Amino acid sequence: ALRCGEEIGDLLFSAVYAARTLDLEPEECLTASSEKFIRRYSAAEKIAEEEGKEISEMHGEELSALWKKAKDETSKKRG
């Protein structure tokens, strides 16, 4: 587990380096990504509720399909 943690750390440092190379602020990128995830998750909860389902009870392909619907819905709203 420790070795995997070190590899994840290397991955994060590489992502920060890539962002800076592209003249992007890594923290702003992370914040934007987190906000996008929250929007999508909220949309997924709403869709699941409308379908009479609970996200916590969904798995595999059903959950992937729900996430795609939420992604499509939030992408439309943002233009």
Side-chain angles (χ1 to χ4, degrees):
L2 178 61
R3 178 78 179 143
C4 287
E6 290 175 356
E7 294 301 322
I8 294 294
D10 290 346
L11 179 64
L12 293 171
F13 273 113
S14 295
V16 168
Y17 178 77
R20 289 189 174 149
T21 299
L22 296 169
D23 291 324
L24 299 170
E25 180 55 48
E27 188 172 347
E28 290 174 9
C29 294
L30 180 59
T31 298
S33 183
S34 296
E35 290 170 353
K36 179 175 66 175
F37 177 83
I38 291 167
R39 282 191 306 275
R40 286 184 182 166
Y41 193 85
S42 295
E45 285 181 314
K46 182 180 176 199
I47 294 166
E49 183 180 326
E50 289 170 355
E51 295 177 358
K53 299 177 182 176
E54 292 284 333
I55 289 179
S56 61
E57 297 173 4
M58 300 172 81
H59 301 283
E61 290 182 22
E62 184 180 30
L63 190 55
S64 292
L66 174 66
W67 192 253
K68 184 178 181 335
K69 286 180 191 176
K71 184 178 176 180
D72 292 345
E73 182 178 303
T74 57
S75 293
K76 286 182 207 172
K77 288 181 180 177
R78 295 192 52 84

